[in-house]
Amino acid sequence: MISAVGADLLEVKDARVEFGVQGGAVRALDGVSLTVNSGEIVAVVGESGCGKTTLARAVLGLQPLTAGSISIKGREVAGTSRGMAETIGMVWQDPYASLNPRWTVGRSVLEPLSLMGRQGDAREIFSEVGLDPNFVNRFPHQLSGGQRQRVAIGRALSLKPPLVICDEPTAALDLSIRAQILNLLKDVQKANNCSFLYISHDLTTVRFLADRVAVMYFGRIVEEGPTEDIFTNPRHPYTAALLESAPTLDRLMHLPEATKGEIPDPRSHFVGCRFAGRCPGVTSECREVDPGPTRENNVRFFCHHPVKTS
Ligand SMILES: Nc1ncnc2c1ncn2[C@@H]1O[C@H](COP(=O)(O)OP(=O)(O)O)[C@@H](O)[C@H]1O
Ligand SMILES: [Mg+2]
């Protein structure tokens, strides 16, 4: 699974982003390395504030790196450029905020094409994302949340980019329509054979969708591997805690056992393992030495005392 067909599409190498804030600096990305191969769906999962959106913005070229590099098809991402629209489609969490309220949704869906000086058929795009083609003349406020997200997905795919980034695309939607949007994402990925970088705090959806999962904790990927390995045989205690708290990460915050201990201040510069303060299996080594990567088959994790293989 890990060596999917084709060369790596996206390569993030030791990416670092620091934000200067009062009382220090937040390391939103603290050495993130990740690859996405063509045709692959890679999910990035982690609690709010762990750096997921910062990673998406960095891949889009909207967020400069403090260190490290990001390349797409071997070309380094640096600053925003029009060319990027042809390479990456973006679906944000809130479709209402990402659609111009004064434009018909038909115009919005064609915007990327017209920016590239190209023609397109909004009605055709609407059918592809399961919308009534007659909706092209409507305005965003005349559609439901799920329909607006379909418009946003149609727009992200309009240039047929090889990579689509979805940043919590169902988080703002009613529970009842989340499954529909997930099915749509799965269908359009198959139909276009593009890659997805799918960002979520919801493990359940990730299992349904992703080929590979990367678990993020305070600016760092702590475990990454094929979806089935991560779900059936988690090696990092944080991944294990997330699985126990499924289906939602909100419940993790209230778990008494696995998450005992302090949640670190995001401004702290970690000495040792960043999960040490919450880990049930912490030792003095964990508090002193930042664990390096361990590879086991196709899984990579950062932990001195991994969860025992089942
Ligand atoms: N522009 C910014 N200025 C200062 N801090 C920021 C900025 N953007 C994000 N952060 C901080 O960086 C960390 C990661 O944020 P973010 O990438 O939005 O996380 P997520 O998307 O996983 O919730 C958080 O601690 C957040 O407060
Ligand atoms: Mg976010």
mmCIF file with all atom_site columns, all heavy atoms in Angstrom, residues 19-21 26 28 47-55 266, ligand 1:
data_model
loop_
_atom_site.group_PDB
_atom_site.id
_atom_site.type_symbol
_atom_site.label_atom_id
_atom_site.label_alt_id
_atom_site.label_comp_id
_atom_site.label_asym_id
_atom_site.label_entity_id
_atom_site.label_seq_id
_atom_site.pdbx_PDB_ins_code
_atom_site.Cartn_x
_atom_site.Cartn_y
_atom_site.Cartn_z
_atom_site.occupancy
_atom_site.B_iso_or_equiv
_atom_site.pdbx_formal_charge
_atom_site.auth_seq_id
_atom_site.auth_comp_id
_atom_site.auth_asym_id
_atom_site.auth_atom_id
_atom_site.pdbx_PDB_model_num
ATOM   1   N N   . PHE A 1 19  ? 4.922  30.511 15.133 1.00 0.00 ? 19  PHE A N   1
ATOM   2   C CA  . PHE A 1 19  ? 4.204  31.783 15.237 1.00 0.00 ? 19  PHE A CA  1
ATOM   3   C C   . PHE A 1 19  ? 4.673  32.494 16.496 1.00 0.00 ? 19  PHE A C   1
ATOM   4   O O   . PHE A 1 19  ? 4.641  31.904 17.582 1.00 0.00 ? 19  PHE A O   1
ATOM   5   C CB  . PHE A 1 19  ? 2.689  31.554 15.349 1.00 0.00 ? 19  PHE A CB  1
ATOM   6   C CG  . PHE A 1 19  ? 2.072  30.966 14.113 1.00 0.00 ? 19  PHE A CG  1
ATOM   7   C CD1 . PHE A 1 19  ? 1.563  29.680 14.119 1.00 0.00 ? 19  PHE A CD1 1
ATOM   8   C CD2 . PHE A 1 19  ? 1.988  31.721 12.946 1.00 0.00 ? 19  PHE A CD2 1
ATOM   9   C CE1 . PHE A 1 19  ? 0.971  29.135 12.981 1.00 0.00 ? 19  PHE A CE1 1
ATOM   10  C CE2 . PHE A 1 19  ? 1.406  31.182 11.801 1.00 0.00 ? 19  PHE A CE2 1
ATOM   11  C CZ  . PHE A 1 19  ? 0.897  29.899 11.824 1.00 0.00 ? 19  PHE A CZ  1
ATOM   12  N N   . GLY A 1 20  ? 5.110  33.740 16.347 1.00 0.00 ? 20  GLY A N   1
ATOM   13  C CA  . GLY A 1 20  ? 5.489  34.522 17.516 1.00 0.00 ? 20  GLY A CA  1
ATOM   14  C C   . GLY A 1 20  ? 4.219  34.942 18.247 1.00 0.00 ? 20  GLY A C   1
ATOM   15  O O   . GLY A 1 20  ? 3.322  35.511 17.650 1.00 0.00 ? 20  GLY A O   1
ATOM   16  N N   . VAL A 1 21  ? 4.107  34.585 19.506 1.00 0.00 ? 21  VAL A N   1
ATOM   17  C CA  . VAL A 1 21  ? 2.966  35.007 20.322 1.00 0.00 ? 21  VAL A CA  1
ATOM   18  C C   . VAL A 1 21  ? 3.498  35.549 21.637 1.00 0.00 ? 21  VAL A C   1
ATOM   19  O O   . VAL A 1 21  ? 4.678  35.392 21.935 1.00 0.00 ? 21  VAL A O   1
ATOM   20  C CB  . VAL A 1 21  ? 1.988  33.830 20.609 1.00 0.00 ? 21  VAL A CB  1
ATOM   21  C CG1 . VAL A 1 21  ? 1.275  33.392 19.342 1.00 0.00 ? 21  VAL A CG1 1
ATOM   22  C CG2 . VAL A 1 21  ? 2.708  32.653 21.247 1.00 0.00 ? 21  VAL A CG2 1
ATOM   23  N N   . VAL A 1 26  ? 4.777  29.690 19.241 1.00 0.00 ? 26  VAL A N   1
ATOM   24  C CA  . VAL A 1 26  ? 4.057  28.428 19.083 1.00 0.00 ? 26  VAL A CA  1
ATOM   25  C C   . VAL A 1 26  ? 4.677  27.693 17.902 1.00 0.00 ? 26  VAL A C   1
ATOM   26  O O   . VAL A 1 26  ? 4.757  28.243 16.805 1.00 0.00 ? 26  VAL A O   1
ATOM   27  C CB  . VAL A 1 26  ? 2.553  28.672 18.813 1.00 0.00 ? 26  VAL A CB  1
ATOM   28  C CG1 . VAL A 1 26  ? 1.852  27.366 18.448 1.00 0.00 ? 26  VAL A CG1 1
ATOM   29  C CG2 . VAL A 1 26  ? 1.896  29.313 20.012 1.00 0.00 ? 26  VAL A CG2 1
ATOM   30  N N   . ALA A 1 28  ? 3.752  25.489 15.540 1.00 0.00 ? 28  ALA A N   1
ATOM   31  C CA  . ALA A 1 28  ? 2.557  24.853 14.978 1.00 0.00 ? 28  ALA A CA  1
ATOM   32  C C   . ALA A 1 28  ? 2.924  23.605 14.191 1.00 0.00 ? 28  ALA A C   1
ATOM   33  O O   . ALA A 1 28  ? 2.207  22.615 14.213 1.00 0.00 ? 28  ALA A O   1
ATOM   34  C CB  . ALA A 1 28  ? 1.802  25.845 14.109 1.00 0.00 ? 28  ALA A CB  1
ATOM   35  N N   . GLU A 1 47  ? -6.142 16.324 17.400 1.00 0.00 ? 47  GLU A N   1
ATOM   36  C CA  . GLU A 1 47  ? -7.015 17.236 18.120 1.00 0.00 ? 47  GLU A CA  1
ATOM   37  C C   . GLU A 1 47  ? -6.862 18.668 17.618 1.00 0.00 ? 47  GLU A C   1
ATOM   38  O O   . GLU A 1 47  ? -5.853 19.018 17.004 1.00 0.00 ? 47  GLU A O   1
ATOM   39  C CB  . GLU A 1 47  ? -6.662 17.200 19.611 1.00 0.00 ? 47  GLU A CB  1
ATOM   40  C CG  . GLU A 1 47  ? -7.071 15.924 20.299 1.00 0.00 ? 47  GLU A CG  1
ATOM   41  C CD  . GLU A 1 47  ? -6.319 15.749 21.608 1.00 0.00 ? 47  GLU A CD  1
ATOM   42  O OE1 . GLU A 1 47  ? -5.164 15.303 21.566 1.00 0.00 ? 47  GLU A OE1 1
ATOM   43  O OE2 . GLU A 1 47  ? -6.880 16.076 22.655 1.00 0.00 ? 47  GLU A OE2 1
ATOM   44  N N   . SER A 1 48  ? -7.834 19.469 17.963 1.00 0.00 ? 48  SER A N   1
ATOM   45  C CA  . SER A 1 48  ? -7.812 20.879 17.623 1.00 0.00 ? 48  SER A CA  1
ATOM   46  C C   . SER A 1 48  ? -6.522 21.530 18.136 1.00 0.00 ? 48  SER A C   1
ATOM   47  O O   . SER A 1 48  ? -6.115 21.277 19.262 1.00 0.00 ? 48  SER A O   1
ATOM   48  C CB  . SER A 1 48  ? -9.040 21.540 18.258 1.00 0.00 ? 48  SER A CB  1
ATOM   49  O OG  . SER A 1 48  ? -9.006 22.904 18.026 1.00 0.00 ? 48  SER A OG  1
ATOM   50  N N   . GLY A 1 49  ? -5.877 22.311 17.296 1.00 0.00 ? 49  GLY A N   1
ATOM   51  C CA  . GLY A 1 49  ? -4.679 23.032 17.704 1.00 0.00 ? 49  GLY A CA  1
ATOM   52  C C   . GLY A 1 49  ? -3.377 22.280 17.451 1.00 0.00 ? 49  GLY A C   1
ATOM   53  O O   . GLY A 1 49  ? -2.298 22.805 17.729 1.00 0.00 ? 49  GLY A O   1
ATOM   54  N N   . CYS A 1 50  ? -3.449 21.071 16.901 1.00 0.00 ? 50  CYS A N   1
ATOM   55  C CA  . CYS A 1 50  ? -2.214 20.289 16.723 1.00 0.00 ? 50  CYS A CA  1
ATOM   56  C C   . CYS A 1 50  ? -1.445 20.696 15.464 1.00 0.00 ? 50  CYS A C   1
ATOM   57  O O   . CYS A 1 50  ? -0.327 20.232 15.249 1.00 0.00 ? 50  CYS A O   1
ATOM   58  C CB  . CYS A 1 50  ? -2.499 18.795 16.722 1.00 0.00 ? 50  CYS A CB  1
ATOM   59  S SG  . CYS A 1 50  ? -3.290 18.192 15.221 1.00 0.00 ? 50  CYS A SG  1
ATOM   60  N N   . GLY A 1 51  ? -2.042 21.552 14.606 1.00 0.00 ? 51  GLY A N   1
ATOM   61  C CA  . GLY A 1 51  ? -1.293 22.061 13.452 1.00 0.00 ? 51  GLY A CA  1
ATOM   62  C C   . GLY A 1 51  ? -1.821 21.615 12.098 1.00 0.00 ? 51  GLY A C   1
ATOM   63  O O   . GLY A 1 51  ? -1.164 21.835 11.072 1.00 0.00 ? 51  GLY A O   1
ATOM   64  N N   . LYS A 1 52  ? -3.010 21.031 12.047 1.00 0.00 ? 52  LYS A N   1
ATOM   65  C CA  . LYS A 1 52  ? -3.537 20.477 10.792 1.00 0.00 ? 52  LYS A CA  1
ATOM   66  C C   . LYS A 1 52  ? -3.767 21.557 9.727  1.00 0.00 ? 52  LYS A C   1
ATOM   67  O O   . LYS A 1 52  ? -3.346 21.400 8.582  1.00 0.00 ? 52  LYS A O   1
ATOM   68  C CB  . LYS A 1 52  ? -4.855 19.726 11.051 1.00 0.00 ? 52  LYS A CB  1
ATOM   69  C CG  . LYS A 1 52  ? -4.737 18.605 12.083 1.00 0.00 ? 52  LYS A CG  1
ATOM   70  C CD  . LYS A 1 52  ? -6.041 17.862 12.271 1.00 0.00 ? 52  LYS A CD  1
ATOM   71  C CE  . LYS A 1 52  ? -7.201 18.683 12.818 1.00 0.00 ? 52  LYS A CE  1
ATOM   72  N NZ  . LYS A 1 52  ? -6.990 19.210 14.174 1.00 0.00 ? 52  LYS A NZ  1
ATOM   73  N N   . THR A 1 53  ? -4.441 22.644 10.124 1.00 0.00 ? 53  THR A N   1
ATOM   74  C CA  . THR A 1 53  ? -4.721 23.700 9.151  1.00 0.00 ? 53  THR A CA  1
ATOM   75  C C   . THR A 1 53  ? -3.430 24.396 8.725  1.00 0.00 ? 53  THR A C   1
ATOM   76  O O   . THR A 1 53  ? -3.260 24.763 7.562  1.00 0.00 ? 53  THR A O   1
ATOM   77  C CB  . THR A 1 53  ? -5.742 24.709 9.732  1.00 0.00 ? 53  THR A CB  1
ATOM   78  O OG1 . THR A 1 53  ? -6.978 24.005 9.947  1.00 0.00 ? 53  THR A OG1 1
ATOM   79  C CG2 . THR A 1 53  ? -5.997 25.864 8.786  1.00 0.00 ? 53  THR A CG2 1
ATOM   80  N N   . THR A 1 54  ? -2.507 24.558 9.652  1.00 0.00 ? 54  THR A N   1
ATOM   81  C CA  . THR A 1 54  ? -1.210 25.150 9.312  1.00 0.00 ? 54  THR A CA  1
ATOM   82  C C   . THR A 1 54  ? -0.507 24.291 8.255  1.00 0.00 ? 54  THR A C   1
ATOM   83  O O   . THR A 1 54  ? 0.073  24.818 7.300  1.00 0.00 ? 54  THR A O   1
ATOM   84  C CB  . THR A 1 54  ? -0.325 25.278 10.577 1.00 0.00 ? 54  THR A CB  1
ATOM   85  O OG1 . THR A 1 54  ? -1.041 26.053 11.545 1.00 0.00 ? 54  THR A OG1 1
ATOM   86  C CG2 . THR A 1 54  ? 0.997  25.957 10.257 1.00 0.00 ? 54  THR A CG2 1
ATOM   87  N N   . LEU A 1 55  ? -0.599 22.979 8.391  1.00 0.00 ? 55  LEU A N   1
ATOM   88  C CA  . LEU A 1 55  ? -0.005 22.080 7.405  1.00 0.00 ? 55  LEU A CA  1
ATOM   89  C C   . LEU A 1 55  ? -0.669 22.278 6.035  1.00 0.00 ? 55  LEU A C   1
ATOM   90  O O   . LEU A 1 55  ? 0.019  22.393 5.014  1.00 0.00 ? 55  LEU A O   1
ATOM   91  C CB  . LEU A 1 55  ? -0.144 20.621 7.870  1.00 0.00 ? 55  LEU A CB  1
ATOM   92  C CG  . LEU A 1 55  ? 0.330  19.535 6.904  1.00 0.00 ? 55  LEU A CG  1
ATOM   93  C CD1 . LEU A 1 55  ? 1.830  19.659 6.636  1.00 0.00 ? 55  LEU A CD1 1
ATOM   94  C CD2 . LEU A 1 55  ? 0.009  18.140 7.440  1.00 0.00 ? 55  LEU A CD2 1
ATOM   95  N N   . PRO A 1 266 ? 1.161  25.078 24.263 1.00 0.00 ? 266 PRO A N   1
ATOM   96  C CA  . PRO A 1 266 ? 1.702  25.023 22.902 1.00 0.00 ? 266 PRO A CA  1
ATOM   97  C C   . PRO A 1 266 ? 2.977  25.850 22.712 1.00 0.00 ? 266 PRO A C   1
ATOM   98  O O   . PRO A 1 266 ? 3.689  25.666 21.732 1.00 0.00 ? 266 PRO A O   1
ATOM   99  C CB  . PRO A 1 266 ? 0.551  25.560 22.047 1.00 0.00 ? 266 PRO A CB  1
ATOM   100 C CG  . PRO A 1 266 ? -0.393 26.220 22.976 1.00 0.00 ? 266 PRO A CG  1
ATOM   101 C CD  . PRO A 1 266 ? -0.199 25.589 24.320 1.00 0.00 ? 266 PRO A CD  1
HETATM 102 N N1  . LIG B 2 .   ? -1.681 33.019 12.637 1.00 0.00 ? 1   LIG B N1  1
HETATM 103 C C1  . LIG B 2 .   ? -1.398 32.457 13.810 1.00 0.00 ? 1   LIG B C1  1
HETATM 104 N N2  . LIG B 2 .   ? -0.787 33.171 14.795 1.00 0.00 ? 1   LIG B N2  1
HETATM 105 C C2  . LIG B 2 .   ? -0.468 32.588 15.979 1.00 0.00 ? 1   LIG B C2  1
HETATM 106 N N3  . LIG B 2 .   ? -0.719 31.309 16.287 1.00 0.00 ? 1   LIG B N3  1
HETATM 107 C C3  . LIG B 2 .   ? -1.329 30.549 15.347 1.00 0.00 ? 1   LIG B C3  1
HETATM 108 C C4  . LIG B 2 .   ? -1.706 31.078 14.065 1.00 0.00 ? 1   LIG B C4  1
HETATM 109 N N4  . LIG B 2 .   ? -2.304 30.086 13.352 1.00 0.00 ? 1   LIG B N4  1
HETATM 110 C C5  . LIG B 2 .   ? -2.296 28.999 14.144 1.00 0.00 ? 1   LIG B C5  1
HETATM 111 N N5  . LIG B 2 .   ? -1.716 29.271 15.340 1.00 0.00 ? 1   LIG B N5  1
HETATM 112 C C6  . LIG B 2 .   ? -1.482 28.328 16.436 1.00 0.00 ? 1   LIG B C6  1
HETATM 113 O O1  . LIG B 2 .   ? -0.830 27.196 15.888 1.00 0.00 ? 1   LIG B O1  1
HETATM 114 C C7  . LIG B 2 .   ? -1.317 25.992 16.456 1.00 0.00 ? 1   LIG B C7  1
HETATM 115 C C8  . LIG B 2 .   ? -1.878 25.102 15.368 1.00 0.00 ? 1   LIG B C8  1
HETATM 116 O O2  . LIG B 2 .   ? -3.052 25.693 14.813 1.00 0.00 ? 1   LIG B O2  1
HETATM 117 P P1  . LIG B 2 .   ? -3.879 25.024 13.620 1.00 0.00 ? 1   LIG B P1  1
HETATM 118 O O3  . LIG B 2 .   ? -2.948 24.685 12.521 1.00 0.00 ? 1   LIG B O3  1
HETATM 119 O O4  . LIG B 2 .   ? -5.020 25.906 13.306 1.00 0.00 ? 1   LIG B O4  1
HETATM 120 O O5  . LIG B 2 .   ? -4.410 23.676 14.297 1.00 0.00 ? 1   LIG B O5  1
HETATM 121 P P2  . LIG B 2 .   ? -5.632 22.695 13.894 1.00 0.00 ? 1   LIG B P2  1
HETATM 122 O O6  . LIG B 2 .   ? -6.030 23.014 12.496 1.00 0.00 ? 1   LIG B O6  1
HETATM 123 O O7  . LIG B 2 .   ? -5.079 21.322 14.072 1.00 0.00 ? 1   LIG B O7  1
HETATM 124 O O8  . LIG B 2 .   ? -6.726 22.969 14.875 1.00 0.00 ? 1   LIG B O8  1
HETATM 125 C C9  . LIG B 2 .   ? -2.337 26.412 17.501 1.00 0.00 ? 1   LIG B C9  1
HETATM 126 O O9  . LIG B 2 .   ? -1.693 26.477 18.768 1.00 0.00 ? 1   LIG B O9  1
HETATM 127 C C10 . LIG B 2 .   ? -2.759 27.768 17.035 1.00 0.00 ? 1   LIG B C10 1
HETATM 128 O O10 . LIG B 2 .   ? -3.225 28.555 18.100 1.00 0.00 ? 1   LIG B O10 1
#
